[in-house]
Amino acid sequence: MNKDKNVKNRSIAILQPEVPHYREEFFFLLNHSINSDIYVFNYPELSSKQGFKLGNNPLIYLQNKKIKGFLLYSPLPFLSKKYNTVVLMLHFAHITTWFLLLTKFIHRKKIILWGQGISVKRYLQEEKKPDWKLRLQIALSDGVWLYMEKEREMWQKVFPRKKIVALNNTLTGIEEMLSYESPLSKEALKIKYQIKERIILIFCARFESNYRRTDLLLETIRRLDKQKFGFVIIGAGKNKPDFGLFTNVHDFGAVYDTDIKRELFSIADIYYQPGWVGLSIVEAMAYGKPIFTFKRSECTKQCVEYSYIQPSYNGMIFDQVEECIKTIEQISIQELVRMGQNAKSTAMELTPVNMVKNAISIL
């Protein structure tokens, strides 16, 4: 991507906790469109402990202090004459962000706020009544980068004249995922990995969050026919259940070998994650897998990427586990293939190139 003549002479500073591997391509392409420096406030060791496999983008560590969930960081780098635009996080607990927003009339920097625009844990409440603290931050800003269209529409109604754009969140390497075709047949791959069941559900996410609804995952495993339905589990974490009791569960732990992961997705017929679905569903869609999950509720939290799922088009969203079990037992392979193809079509629009185009559209 070449630098657009309208933005190539601009420089921006971006603040993030860290740059994980799945965001690396976005920042690389962004820097080819507009000169950008990335500041981070988490030490690499902390990010690694949290399960992030960090990317290789050049980063500038920003001095900061965290006090009971609040963040104070040095504002000085963002006041440099080098930058005319600063992209800060849409986060009400970032004290220095408030300071920079409230002193715009002095420093004259354009401030873009970047975030989800809503609390995932309080989603049902905030979609009806947006958080007043975020509302004030957005009012003070020059524009907003949100991850998803649903939240953009929500905030655009509040601020109809504000520059607000949905980036359409995606991950590094999605083009390679979309184009991947295993040289081995599904039958040959099953023999390779000693998987005998006819229908395979795959789960691929870290078991760190308490909101994964692993109870629903375990209940589904217990209730489905163990001779017909198998489960491939990719992921590790402190909240991971013991899958050793189930003969039809094939637990691969954390998989960092891309070839192995792609082969396991090639075996699968359904991507199944009961709760807290996020970017992992974009990966699954890119591999042509329909997404099966549960309706967002007080008991089942879902991340903002949940809105990529269109029931009966590229996946299924269930109200109750009984409905989920019955559907999995009765659905045809042809129907799974159809939804999987639609899932791939959805993922084709979710490229880092498009994400960057959306980002620079309001600069």
Side-chain angles (χ1 to χ4, degrees):
M1 183 184 295
N2 295 322
K3 287 184 169 67
D4 186 280
K5 64 181 180 180
N6 294 321
V7 298
K8 65 181 180 180
N9 294 322
R10 303 178 186 177
S11 289
I12 67 172
I14 303 173
L15 176 65
Q16 289 283 280
E18 61 270 309
V19 176
H21 64 287
Y22 57 78
R23 190 70 69 229
E24 187 175 2
E25 191 174 353
F26 168 76
F27 283 112
F28 176 80
L29 293 172
L30 181 67
N31 194 51
H32 275 254
S33 292
I34 183 168
N35 298 317
S36 54
D37 290 333
I38 307 168
Y39 291 83
V40 297
F41 55 80
N42 280 346
Y43 283 113
E45 296 79 11
L46 175 62
S47 301
S48 296
K49 283 182 181 179
Q50 292 175 339
F52 288 112
K53 184 182 176 185
L54 301 182
N56 297 315
N57 297 84
L59 306 174
I60 304 169
Y61 179 74
L62 188 64
Q63 291 292 327
N64 68 91
K65 190 168 185 178
K66 296 168 187 170
I67 307 170
K68 295 183 178 180
F70 290 90
L71 176 71
L72 282 163
Y73 57 84
S74 172
L76 296 179
F78 302 120
L79 300 176
S80 167
K81 293 181 179 180
K82 179 180 179 181
Y83 309 120
N84 58 10
T85 301
V86 178
V87 181
L88 303 174
M89 295 177 68
L90 179 57
H91 198 308
F92 66 81
H94 289 192
I95 304 302
T96 309
T97 298
W98 286 105
F99 167 77
L100 289 168
L101 286 168
L102 292 167
T103 57
K104 274 179 55 188
F105 70 99
I106 299 173
H107 58 68
R108 304 291 183 181
K109 302 293 183 184
K110 183 177 181 179
I111 296 181
I112 303 292
L113 297 176
W114 183 10
Q116 296 182 144
I118 197 165
S119 167
V120 174
K121 296 177 183 178
R122 298 183 297 276
Y123 196 101
L124 296 177
Q125 294 80 20
E126 291 188 13
E127 70 174 338
K128 297 174 183 175
K129 186 178 181 180
D131 184 270
W132 67 269
K133 299 180 289 300
L134 297 185
R135 182 172 183 151
L136 182 54
Q137 282 193 324
I138 291 173
L140 293 168
S141 75
D142 295 283
V144 184
W145 289 355
L146 295 174
Y147 282 115
M148 300 291 294
E149 182 64 24
K150 188 173 187 290
E151 290 71 44
R152 186 204 66 80
E153 291 176 356
M154 181 186 81
W155 282 111
Q156 202 74 75
K157 290 176 183 177
V158 179
F159 297 103
R161 297 183 181 180
K162 182 74 66 174
K163 291 182 178 179
I164 304 175
V165 65
L167 302 186
N168 290 329
N169 202 21
T170 191
L171 67 168
T172 296
I174 193 169
E175 289 91 348
E176 290 80 6
M177 298 173 198
L178 286 162
S179 62
Y180 176 75
E181 291 185 16
S182 173
L184 298 176
S185 68
K186 182 180 285 192
E187 290 73 21
L189 288 172
K190 283 187 173 182
I191 293 171
K192 177 178 179 179
Y193 290 101
Q194 299 181 348
I195 295 173
K196 299 178 181 179
E197 298 80 22
R198 186 161 67 88
I199 306 296
I200 304 300
L201 294 84
I202 188 170
F203 173 102
C204 181
R206 289 178 291 123
F207 289 93
E208 294 295 332
S209 171
N210 292 321
Y211 300 106
R212 293 286 186 209
R213 291 308 305 267
T214 53
D215 58 320
L216 294 175
L217 175 60
L218 290 170
E219 185 172 355
T220 307
I221 293 170
R222 291 190 189 103
R223 292 179 60 177
L224 285 173
D225 184 341
K226 293 175 176 54
Q227 303 302 313
K228 181 179 179 181
F229 298 98
F231 291 79
V232 167
I233 305 294
I234 299 175
K238 62 185 179 183
N239 293 316
K240 184 173 182 175
D242 180 8
F243 293 108
L245 302 173
F246 305 103
T247 57
N248 62 330
V249 175
H250 311 276
D251 184 2
F252 291 85
V255 176
Y256 295 111
D257 188 314
T258 302
D259 292 334
I260 293 175
K261 180 184 273 192
R262 287 176 175 172
E263 288 182 342
L264 294 174
F265 268 98
S266 296
I267 291 171
D269 302 285
I270 298 168
Y271 182 81
Y272 182 54
Q273 185 177 329
W276 207 250
V277 297
L279 267 179
S280 56
I281 69 169
V282 176
E283 180 179 30
M285 286 180 171
Y287 288 126
K289 307 304 163 186
I291 311 302
F292 281 29
T293 189
F294 286 81
K295 184 178 180 180
R296 177 186 275 132
S297 67
E298 291 295 341
C299 296
T300 304
K301 312 292 185 183
Q302 300 286 12
C303 302
V304 291
E305 291 81 9
Y306 171 79
S307 60
Y308 283 141
I309 307 170
Q310 301 174 54
S312 299
Y313 175 74
N314 58 17
M316 299 294 290
I317 297 175
F318 305 107
D319 289 308
Q320 302 291 335
V321 70
E322 287 77 14
E323 178 192 6
C324 173
I325 298 292
K326 186 176 180 180
T327 300
I328 294 172
E329 288 176 336
Q330 296 181 353
I331 198 165
S332 68
I333 290 293
Q334 292 78 13
E335 184 68 1
L336 292 176
V337 169
R338 181 191 67 81
M339 288 194 291
Q341 290 170 342
N342 292 337
K344 197 158 197 168
S345 296
T346 301
M348 285 178 182
E349 302 299 319
L350 307 177
T351 65
V353 170
N354 287 340
M355 195 174 172
V356 170
K357 285 180 180 178
N358 294 334
I360 66 175
S361 68
I362 64 167
L363 296 178

